[in-house]
Amino acid sequence: MTPQTRAEKSAAAMWATDKASQNLGMRIDHIAPGTAHLSMMVTDNMLNGHGICHGGYIFTLADSAFAFACNSYNQLVVAQQNQITYLAPGKPNERLTATATEQSKTGRSGIYDVTVTGEDGRIIALFRGLSRTIKGQHFEEEMTT
């Protein structure tokens, strides 16, 4: 199996049960080993008291992209720590895109950076996620070490 096929099968297996991402209207725009691009439309239900996208929804989009990127190797991976810095507001009726990129993967630990952008390319937020591999696979596959 190619690394790309493994990433696609892992994403499909995760997506099938990821009700949180699905119910927020997210979509997977790209998946590859160690990287994922997810996007989401900012709806009226996501607006805070300032009329902009609530930070929790932006965090959730970034966290979902992080999850799909670090789970792209057919190993079960969970978040160990995350942090986000907000730089610009998400606007109503705007599609936000989160691009997750693997920075380091050593043993059971990984570091992933996620950039959330608006439709005009402006950076909405920067997110860093630390991951930890646990036992299990997304689909049955003989793993070599």
Side-chain angles (χ1 to χ4, degrees):
M1 178 176 307
T2 68
Q4 180 62 32
T5 300
R6 182 173 294 111
E8 291 168 2
K9 284 186 74 169
S10 296
M14 274 185 58
W15 185 256
T17 58
D18 186 348
K19 300 305 180 199
S21 297
Q22 290 177 31
N23 287 329
L24 288 173
M26 291 183 199
R27 68 181 189 204
I28 301 172
D29 297 318
H30 172 76
I31 189 75
T35 188
H37 303 190
L38 271 69
S39 63
M40 174 183 77
M41 185 65 71
V42 177
T43 65
D44 287 345
N45 291 335
M46 297 176 179
L47 302 180
N48 64 17
H50 298 290
I52 58 176
C53 187
H54 189 288
Y57 289 106
I58 296 169
F59 184 96
T60 302
L61 175 62
D63 187 45
S64 289
F66 160 63
F68 280 93
C70 63
N71 278 276
S72 62
Y73 300 103
N74 194 24
Q75 296 176 305
L76 299 185
V77 182
V78 296
Q80 186 173 40
Q81 178 182 330
N82 297 317
Q83 74 112 62
I84 194 165
T85 302
Y86 300 100
L87 302 173
K91 299 175 185 175
N93 303 310
E94 174 180 39
R95 180 163 292 281
L96 302 181
T97 300
T99 302
T101 306
E102 182 178 278
Q103 301 301 315
S104 174
K105 186 173 180 294
T106 306
R108 294 176 51 209
S109 299
I111 301 172
Y112 294 77
D113 286 337
V114 183
T115 302
V116 179
T117 56
E119 289 178 347
D120 60 2
R122 75 192 185 290
I123 298 175
I124 303 294
L126 299 173
F127 171 108
R128 174 157 277 190
L130 307 183
S131 69
R132 191 71 173 166
T133 301
I134 60 174
K135 290 183 181 182
Q137 298 175 295
H138 295 286
F139 59 92
E140 193 170 325
E141 177 185 21
E142 189 71 28
M143 298 300 283
T144 59
T145 54

